[in-house]
Amino acid sequence: MSAPAPSPLAIVDAEPLPRQDEVLTEAALAFVAELHRRFAPRRAELLARRGERRAEIARTSTLDFLPDTAQVREGDWKVAPAPAALNDRRVEITGPTDRKMTINALNSGAKVWLADFEDASAPTWENVVLGQLNLIDAYERRIDFTDARTGKAYALKSADQLATVVMRPRGWHLEERHLRFEGGPASGSLVDFGLYFFHNAQRLIDLGKGPYFYLPKTESHLEARLWNDIFVFAQDYVGIPQGTVRATVLIETITAAYEMEEILFELKDHAAGLNAGRWDYLFSIVKNFRDGGEKFVLPDRNAVTMTAPFMRAYTELLVRTCHKRGAHAIGGMAAFIPSRKDAEANRIAFEKVKADKDREANDGFDGSWVAHPDLVPIAMASFDAVLGEKPNQKDRLREDVSVAPGDLIAIDSLDAKPTYEGLRNAVQVGTRYIEAWLRGLGAVGIFGLMEDAATAEISRSQIWQWINAGVVFENGELATAELTRKIAAEELEAIRTEVGDEAFAAGKWQQAHDLLLQVSLDADYADFLTLPAYDQLVG
């Protein structure tokens, strides 16, 4: 038998960071290099396949369940039983892995913390490396710190009160330019997964938990198969039992919605569940059906609630699929940020959050997401009312649910239209989010909501779609590039007035304005906003 090919050497191309040697060890980089050697070629093939599938959708303006995998959907199989640490997931809090958030999320009272290296984290090298260090420090209980500005001290509660961590690496499309193999950048997914798994797999087992992951932006069961092969290799590499890794897949692309059973099947021994991610899902619908004509035009993003018929089809199918296969079904995000100044706004928002979580719990979801610790008790109460002492409701098979292929893309079943204020809001939110992202912030409070990269994606995609579909707003104005530029200029000036000349000059406002217009108005639609944005990200 021939010897395995040597792994490519890792080259770190970045200014040194404090304590980086604890993360970028020779052994950890050798592991990431081996992941790169074995799996980067298949990653490239699957990214190319995305383009081919998108071209087919442009030609046909439709999607269907896969005929070649009917035997999987019709077969009698289940995913592996959930480990004890992931059996009760009734409330999950999401957020980036900065030091303060790490402590607050673990202490929040939520069952799970989605520790996010993806949409809630701008991928500066500092965020990538120090985020990994913060998780290591948390597991070693050496993360206590005092905020230099406020003097407030932060410390972890006792181990039995801490949330279980489920880490989310970057999506397959993103690269990591600061870590290079064979002259090219590494895959952001493999860097995030590799460093976290190598350092923490055994630590987590010793804590009675394990290396658990959320897999973002998945577009097909073949991409899930790649992740499964990575898990199998990684577990053998560090010498832990197969099946220790568990993955929850975000069904946040329209193509993945047609392959839910196949995705669970590919990850069978490592599958923990599926999650319904709202904004990225809508972004994916616009991206894939952007030239499909009027029937695919989405209204203002805030008009697309989870009770819209095509969104109901998506979530009901997800619950039925998960429970049929013994997996957890996790609901969407409550993004509201409570205000210290407006009790009435809080009351109204809390009522909306409660109604949303009540609906999910009654529909059969086993848990749901919140973005702020103050929302944990509200979501917990909704699920407690349905679950009681049970850890989940996977026994609710939802066999009453029947979803036809066309139901998932029946966008025109929603009785709402794009509005002029919707265009203005997309420009406002897109500009403000991109500006913060370019400064290294991925989770940003905007107009009372915690926004992440999916927000900017749906904002710029809707602008692009409305212009290219020739939408006429209720005030009689036509959606055009000229109108968008006019609104963007007005909003930029309004921001200057709001923040003041000094703060405006110190920020990335003009850059954000220009980038938003680029990805909203270019005839050649960019697959992901974060690709051109990454070229402008400092650090």
Side-chain angles (χ1 to χ4, degrees):
M1 189 174 79
S2 61
S7 295
L9 295 175
I11 298 174
V12 178
D13 184 13
E15 290 297 314
L17 294 166
R19 297 177 62 197
Q20 72 170 26
D21 291 346
E22 296 175 46
V23 175
L24 305 175
T25 65
E26 184 176 337
L29 290 176
F31 175 62
V32 176
E34 186 62 14
L35 292 176
H36 174 86
R37 184 182 74 81
R38 288 172 177 264
F39 301 109
R42 187 137 52 106
R43 166 188 175 252
E45 291 170 6
L46 290 169
L47 289 176
R49 186 178 180 275
R50 288 182 177 183
E52 296 164 5
R53 194 172 194 187
R54 153 63 198 151
E56 181 66 11
I57 293 170
R59 187 181 68 81
T60 63
S61 288
T62 193
L63 275 169
D64 202 344
F65 301 113
L66 302 179
D68 294 347
T69 55
Q71 73 281 6
V72 171
R73 296 192 298 278
E74 294 162 5
D76 183 18
W77 54 270
K78 290 191 183 301
V79 302
L86 277 183
N87 202 30
D88 188 334
R89 305 178 61 173
R90 67 187 71 198
V91 181
E92 304 191 352
I93 192 167
T94 70
T97 55
D98 60 87
R99 215 153 178 85
K100 178 180 173 182
M101 180 67 196
T102 296
I103 295 175
N104 285 345
L106 288 170
N107 286 345
S108 66
K111 296 291 186 180
V112 166
W113 170 36
L114 186 161
D116 201 4
F117 286 81
E118 201 233 0
D119 273 4
S121 179
T124 63
W125 187 234
E126 181 175 349
N127 287 345
V128 169
V129 175
L130 298 190
Q132 296 276 356
L133 186 65
N134 289 337
L135 293 174
I136 294 170
D137 281 353
Y139 300 144
E140 295 291 330
R141 297 194 67 88
R142 60 184 183 217
I143 198 170
D144 303 3
F145 86 108
T146 300
D147 189 310
R149 184 177 61 85
T150 65
K152 183 176 180 181
Y154 295 83
L156 291 177
K157 295 178 179 178
S158 61
D160 62 338
Q161 295 179 282
L162 301 182
T164 293
V165 174
V166 180
M167 182 271 208
R168 180 163 72 169
R170 280 168 282 182
W172 282 127
H173 60 290
L174 290 168
E175 294 180 334
E176 177 48 70
R177 64 180 176 227
H178 300 95
L179 192 56
R180 306 179 70 82
F181 300 105
E182 300 173 326
S187 156
S189 301
L190 295 180
V191 171
D192 295 343
F193 165 80
L195 292 175
Y196 180 77
F197 178 88
F198 185 83
H199 287 297
N200 298 304
Q202 190 59 54
R203 276 191 176 101
L204 287 161
I205 292 169
D206 294 344
L207 291 170
K209 299 186 178 183
Y212 306 142
F213 298 91
Y214 259 112
L215 305 181
K217 306 289 191 293
T218 301
E219 296 198 15
S220 76
H221 70 286
L222 297 180
E223 294 179 16
R225 181 181 298 171
L226 173 56
W227 271 119
N228 196 72
D229 289 347
I230 289 167
F231 297 156
V232 170
F233 168 76
Q235 289 165 124
D236 281 348
Y237 189 97
V238 301
I240 62 174
Q242 290 296 327
T244 306
V245 169
R246 291 305 169 92
T248 305
V249 180
L250 291 109
I251 302 299
E252 56 185 355
T253 67
I254 186 61
T255 51
Y258 287 85
E259 300 183 35
M260 293 191 217
E261 293 207 59
E262 293 89 335
I263 286 168
L264 286 175
F265 182 79
E266 294 293 345
L267 289 160
K268 201 155 105 186
D269 293 335
H270 301 109
L274 303 177
N275 168 274
R278 176 180 174 189
W279 293 137
D280 264 317
Y281 188 72
L282 293 176
F283 156 52
S284 175
I285 290 173
V286 174
K287 175 162 68 172
N288 280 286
F289 291 93
R290 62 183 181 267
D291 38 22
E294 184 179 357
K295 65 182 287 191
F296 291 106
V297 172
L298 280 175
D300 302 359
R301 72 164 181 142
N302 292 324
V304 188
T305 68
M306 298 306 283
T307 59
F310 69 99
M311 296 299 280
R312 288 289 290 164
Y314 153 59
T315 56
E316 298 250 270
L317 180 62
L318 188 147
V319 172
R320 173 173 177 150
T321 300
C322 285
H323 291 182
K324 176 183 177 183
R325 302 306 181 182
H328 281 74
I330 308 298
M333 172 72 80
F336 175 67
I337 305 171
S339 169
R340 295 179 180 176
K341 301 175 181 177
D342 194 337
E344 179 61 15
N346 285 351
R347 184 188 66 78
I348 295 169
F350 286 157
E351 285 181 0
K352 290 181 179 178
V353 171
K354 181 181 184 302
D356 185 50
K357 301 311 169 191
D358 285 350
R359 174 190 52 78
E360 288 182 328
N362 286 308
D363 281 350
F365 280 97
D366 302 293
S368 189
W369 282 5
V370 299
H372 193 280
D374 287 359
L375 301 183
V376 170
I378 298 172
M380 194 72 76
S382 294
F383 280 88
D384 285 350
V386 171
L387 296 178
E389 296 298 314
K390 292 168 50 182
N392 54 64
Q393 52 182 332
K394 290 190 285 189
D395 56 336
R396 276 193 69 193
L397 298 182
R398 292 306 313 272
E399 291 175 339
D400 56 304
V401 171
S402 178
V403 175
D407 296 344
L408 294 168
I409 50 174
I411 312 305
D412 54 356
S413 64
L414 184 60
D415 185 21
K417 302 289 184 187
T419 69
Y420 180 85
E421 277 309 307
L423 176 62
R424 181 178 295 282
N425 183 259
V427 170
Q428 287 177 318
V429 174
T431 302
R432 289 167 186 261
Y433 181 82
I434 293 170
E435 192 276 336
W437 195 92
L438 292 172
R439 288 187 288 110
L441 300 174
V444 186
I446 303 173
F447 304 148
L449 297 176
M450 186 63 74
E451 308 283 21
D452 68 10
T455 300
E457 292 286 23
I458 185 64
S459 295
R460 65 96 180 189
S461 297
Q462 290 200 289
I463 296 169
W464 195 100
Q465 184 188 48
W466 295 347
I467 292 170
N468 284 273
V471 165
V472 178
F473 297 118
E474 78 288 352
N475 63 0
E477 291 207 63
L478 177 67
T480 63
E482 291 70 28
L483 178 61
T484 304
R485 289 191 185 97
K486 171 177 169 288
I487 291 173
E490 292 170 353
E491 291 307 320
L492 194 62
E493 198 52 42
I495 289 168
R496 184 195 297 272
T497 302
E498 176 189 326
V499 304
D501 289 342
E502 186 177 345
F504 185 89
K508 304 278 187 181
W509 295 107
Q510 187 67 51
Q511 206 174 334
H513 162 278
D514 295 349
L515 182 56
L516 177 68
L517 290 182
Q518 174 190 327
V519 295
S520 300
L521 304 182
D522 276 6
D524 187 11
Y525 178 95
D527 280 345
F528 292 95
L529 155 70
T530 45
L531 294 174
Y534 188 51
D535 293 337
Q536 299 183 33
L537 185 65
V538 177

